[in-house]
Amino acid sequence: ATQQQPFLETLLLRCLAEDDVLLPIDLSALKARVAPLQPDDALLTVLEVLKKRGVVQLETIALGNGENRTVILDCDRSRLLRSISPSHLTKRPRLERPSPETGLAPSEERDLQARLAQPSARTAQVLAQFRSARARFRPFCDAGTWEECRKTRRPGAPPCQKLHFRGLVFGHTDPSMGDCSFLDTCRHMSSCKFVHYAIDEAAPAPARPLPPPALVEP
């Protein structure tokens, strides 16, 4: 029993540290959780040691048939945690009850859900067909049109890589009303009198510099 005492003490401390242990609890219920094959005297000896340390509060209740019943009334949580190493706080693995709906254990259900959430090989193939390798984000140019953009850039500068627009003026368009707030997404473009715009991918050719004036000899 002396050799088993440190082992049983570790099991008892770890069990009492678990959140689902409700106090008070009697010795038989604690034995069923900790060490069902150990004799009652061995567990009672360890509990008496823990009682002297102030970790647990014990009470012996006399039953009518001449037997005694040992009950753990309470435990000092702070002293309990000081008496146990952090590695002992790890909960013991328990048997998982299968779900009545699926017949699977919780860990098996989580594994199945993770597998179902992963895209299949066919889905990945279809997504790869519609994914463009050249797709990238292109912001709008603050100047709006190519003409206004060219005015803001210095001569000889490379073409602007941002998106530009070109104005769409129809027979019913009234330029004095200004721009349509929907740009090229207006649903009434055939009758809307505001100025609409479309994306202009073609950059205008750079203006050629004027030739120097010819010298006229007197």
Side-chain angles (χ1 to χ4, degrees):
T2 305
Q3 297 177 354
Q4 293 290 333
Q5 182 172 335
F7 174 70
L8 292 177
E9 181 178 337
T10 300
L11 293 180
L12 285 171
L13 290 173
R14 184 171 60 180
C15 179
L16 292 174
E18 294 181 354
D19 296 333
D20 58 345
V21 175
L22 301 179
L23 299 179
I25 183 173
D26 60 2
L27 181 62
S28 59
L30 185 63
K31 176 184 174 181
R33 293 177 59 98
V34 177
L37 301 181
Q38 294 294 328
D40 294 349
D41 295 342
L43 272 72
L44 186 58
T45 301
V46 176
L47 288 174
E48 291 292 344
V49 174
L50 297 178
K51 177 182 178 181
K52 293 180 180 180
R53 297 179 188 172
V55 178
V56 298
Q57 297 180 10
L58 300 180
E59 182 176 351
T60 302
I61 303 175
L63 302 179
N65 53 4
E67 297 181 358
N68 296 329
R69 178 182 180 185
T70 302
V71 179
I72 297 92
L73 297 179
D74 197 4
C75 69
D76 191 324
R77 187 74 177 178
S78 60
R79 294 186 179 181
L80 172 66
L81 296 178
R82 288 197 300 267
S83 301
I84 190 172
S85 61
S87 60
H88 293 158
L89 293 176
T90 304
K91 293 186 178 181
R92 295 167 294 173
R94 299 179 180 177
L95 296 177
E96 295 181 330
R97 296 183 179 179
S99 171
E101 291 81 8
T102 61
L104 301 176
S107 59
E108 295 175 337
E109 289 185 344
R110 291 191 295 268
D111 181 68
L112 180 60
Q113 292 175 358
R115 292 178 181 272
L116 293 177
Q118 296 178 355
S120 62
R122 177 58 180 170
T123 302
Q125 182 181 5
V126 173
L127 292 177
Q129 294 177 354
F130 289 94
R131 186 180 296 112
S132 175
R134 298 182 179 180
R136 59 187 180 89
F137 173 74
R138 292 179 61 189
F140 295 138
C141 180
D142 295 335
T145 62
W146 281 109
E147 290 76 10
E148 295 297 328
C149 179
R150 188 170 57 182
K151 294 178 182 180
T152 59
R153 300 177 69 84
R154 66 179 185 274
C160 179
Q161 299 299 322
K162 297 181 180 180
L163 287 177
H164 299 78
F165 293 89
R166 57 183 176 88
L168 300 177
V169 180
F170 305 100
H172 58 274
T173 303
D174 185 359
S176 62
M177 298 182 63
D179 300 335
C180 180
S181 58
F182 294 98
L183 297 177
D184 60 338
T185 61
C186 180
R187 300 174 58 183
H188 306 284
M189 194 176 296
S190 59
S191 59
C192 182
K193 296 184 179 181
F194 291 94
V195 179
H196 299 84
Y197 289 86
I199 295 178
D200 189 4
E201 294 285 357
R208 296 181 179 180
L210 297 176
L215 297 178
V216 179
E217 297 180 357

